[in-house]
Amino acid sequence: MRLIAALCLLLVWAAPLAAGPWPRPAGERFISLSRDGGGTSLWVESGIDGRQWLVGQARRDRGGARFLGLSWRRSLVAEDAVQRLAVSLGAEYRDRGTRAWLRPGVMWGRGFERPVPGWVAASMVASVPLRRAGSVELDGALTLGARPVPQWLTMVQFQGERDQRESRFHLAPSVAWEWRAGSHLQLGLRQQLGGDRRRSVTLASWLRF
């Protein structure tokens, strides 16, 4: 389950989405650095007690805008539950436009063993401005992942986001190679659905310790 939690990280996307409903074990740390056409992102997780964990993120998009976020997350089910459910409450600071945002979210997931080990997960996060009403933003994702062989992971993710101007949707397949225990390299593609059909390549590094 630790591996599944790591795989659910959505660092391949410039917007901060939920990391999945699988909690980080007490005392465990996870760090990921990613780069794609949308910018650079650093993600950090820290386990508290097996049911609660903290998530921090720093991002810079290709236009130079900076984002800093911190959230507290808690699993709502037992550690051995088949269906996993967690909630998130966080805050984000942006250096452009509306500065302070509250970010509540919910995450669901389920692991499976057949036909190959894998998982399915869904998440939804709202961004609520603290000083202005009527401009709530939404970020959501549906992820399907599998581990066909011990050192390789495959993922495909459907991503959606809505702000004051428009809604956008992307498809993001990727693969990850565990080159040593606790360390992965990830290569992915993010394709916009509709609009100008923009695409970008993603490179990411994960470290669990």
Side-chain angles (χ1 to χ4, degrees), residues 98-178:
T98 303
R99 299 300 179 92
W101 298 75
L102 188 65
R103 289 179 54 81
V106 61
M107 295 146 282
W108 169 88
R110 177 170 182 164
F112 55 84
E113 295 296 330
R114 297 181 180 179
V116 295
W119 79 98
V120 60
S123 64
M124 178 65 69
V125 178
S127 296
V128 183
L130 293 182
R131 293 190 177 182
R132 183 176 61 184
S135 56
V136 175
E137 300 177 358
L138 295 174
D139 300 320
L142 176 65
T143 306
L144 178 64
R147 187 182 185 190
V149 294
Q151 290 183 301
W152 286 92
L153 306 153
T154 61
M155 293 156 281
V156 62
Q157 187 178 81
F158 177 73
Q159 306 164 346
E161 60 182 48
R162 189 187 74 182
D163 57 23
Q164 300 177 59
R165 298 182 302 274
E166 61 180 343
S167 297
R168 294 174 296 276
F169 301 95
H170 295 81
L171 190 66
S174 65
V175 296
W177 170 47
E178 188 176 18

Side-chain angles (χ1 to χ4, degrees), residues 25-48:
E28 186 175 279
R29 308 288 186 269
F30 181 92
I31 298 176
S32 180
L33 178 66
S34 67
R35 173 76 178 178
D36 67 6
T40 302
S41 178
L42 174 67
W43 181 286
V44 180
E45 285 195 23
S46 179
I48 299 175

